[in-house]
Amino acid sequence: MRKALLFISIFVAAAALAQTTPAPAVKYPRVSQKAMLMQTIGTTDMTITYSRPGVKGRKIWGALVPYGQVWRTGANEATTISFSDDVTINGQKLAAGTYSLHTIPGEKEWTLIFNTVANQWGSYSYDQTKDALRVKAVPATASFVEWLTFEVPVLSSDQATVAIRWDNVAVPFTVNANTTAKVLAAARAAVTAAKPDDWRTPNSAASFAFDAGAMDEAAQWSDLSLKAGENMSNLWLKARILAKQGKKADAVATAEKALAKKTDKDSADLAAEIRKQIDEWKK
């Protein structure tokens, strides 16, 4: 009798435990997978976070995505786009920050909407009064893409072209980070604050100005670097500036002086590059 009662008690306890213990949670994949595009434009970080719906044989434009209506530009949560610095979008100013990116698709023209409410589900609670910026974009026919994607097909230190791609449509827009102007302004301040024996600060500034085509400041800052102390690095930059100014004989003389300043710490590859360039200039 005792054994029977014990068995019944164990059975009842096990049954109660089975009823109170929840089933293990299962993480199911989303139909439209989450994706992120991070791109640095010069010194400005841009991040786009979105979900990627598929075409799946459906008619997309003017059907699944109606023309003339606000669209979340993806699936699930509204797509978000963030910038670490102020930018311009298709030439119009947008402050640094994170925005939800909504669009109004059209056959011949799209409206791109940067809304200050970043975290929202789709465009169901979209409020036009919270828009920070609206710009127009022109869609183009493109090669087929099954899954919605954002691409950066064109990139420089100042500007990027971002393209929304889905089905057979691409919608490009331009993000300008104004990098060159910002860096030149920072370089001016750095050179002004540099100590008299600091050759690196004006040399770095001169190198950037040279690459950016700001030749007057490149020459000025190069001279300040040389005044602080001549070495193979800053003499080589000065030689290239002189060559760019059309002063080939002076460029050769300065480059040869740079080679004469080579130390064991200097790169042998750089020395070989200088010798090669001297031969080219002499021709």
Side-chain angles (χ1 to χ4, degrees):
M1 184 66 178
R2 287 182 178 178
K3 289 183 178 180
L5 290 173
L6 179 61
F7 176 79
I8 292 171
S9 298
I10 293 173
F11 177 81
V12 171
L17 182 63
Q19 290 177 357
T20 58
T21 303
V26 178
K27 186 175 182 179
Y28 294 101
R30 285 184 170 190
V31 175
S32 301
Q33 300 283 345
K34 188 175 183 179
M36 180 181 293
L37 169 67
M38 188 280 173
Q39 177 65 62
T40 298
I41 309 166
T43 58
T44 298
D45 292 334
M46 175 185 69
T47 304
I48 303 173
T49 304
Y50 62 106
S51 294
R52 305 183 65 188
V55 175
K56 301 177 183 178
R58 299 173 292 184
K59 178 174 173 55
I60 302 301
W61 309 115
L64 182 66
V65 179
Y67 290 134
Q69 297 183 24
V70 176
W71 177 46
R72 72 185 84 184
T73 323
N76 305 319
E77 302 90 346
T79 292
T80 62
I81 185 166
S82 67
F83 304 99
S84 60
D85 301 296
D86 296 350
V87 296
T88 60
I89 308 294
N90 286 0
Q92 298 190 42
K93 293 181 180 179
L94 182 65
T98 302
Y99 304 90
S100 53
L101 177 61
H102 308 264
T103 51
I104 302 176
E107 290 187 77
K108 297 183 178 180
E109 184 179 73
W110 281 40
T111 300
L112 309 182
I113 305 168
F114 298 81
N115 187 271
T116 56
V117 182
N119 297 318
Q120 53 183 295
W121 184 265
S123 297
Y124 300 107
S125 59
Y126 162 74
D127 181 355
Q128 184 174 343
T129 65
K130 303 295 184 182
D131 289 352
L133 177 67
R134 283 187 169 210
V135 298
K136 300 296 184 181
V138 178
T141 301
S143 57
F144 178 81
V145 173
E146 171 66 26
W147 301 98
L148 173 75
T149 187
F150 282 79
E151 299 177 351
V152 182
V154 181
L155 179 67
S156 71
S157 60
D158 276 302
Q159 186 169 287
T161 297
V162 181
I164 306 168
R165 296 281 311 276
W166 197 25
D167 193 13
N168 61 346
V169 169
V171 184
F173 61 95
T174 300
V175 179
N176 193 312
N178 200 29
T179 306
T180 298
K182 289 190 296 187
V183 174
L184 284 174
R188 291 183 194 108
V191 171
T192 300
K195 295 179 179 180
D197 61 346
D198 177 4
W199 68 268
R200 289 182 175 84
T201 297
N203 190 62
S204 295
S207 180
F208 179 82
F210 175 76
D211 290 338
M215 297 306 299
D216 289 343
E217 287 185 304
Q220 177 187 343
W221 293 338
S222 176
D223 289 342
L224 287 174
S225 177
L226 293 170
K227 184 178 179 180
E230 294 182 355
N231 54 61
M232 188 172 79
S233 178
N234 59 11
L235 283 166
W236 171 228
L237 176 57
K238 182 62 177 181
R240 287 181 288 145
I241 293 171
L242 289 167
K244 191 77 171 179
Q245 293 172 332
K247 303 173 183 178
K248 292 293 180 66
D250 292 337
V252 168
T254 305
E256 289 175 340
K257 190 175 182 181
L259 286 176
K261 289 282 186 178
K262 183 182 182 305
T263 68
D264 292 339
K265 294 181 180 180
D266 290 320
S267 167
D269 289 340
L270 177 58
E273 179 186 342
I274 295 172
R275 291 189 187 94
K276 181 180 179 181
Q277 189 60 67
I278 288 173
D279 291 340
E280 290 293 323
W281 286 336
K282 284 182 176 179
K283 291 179 182 179

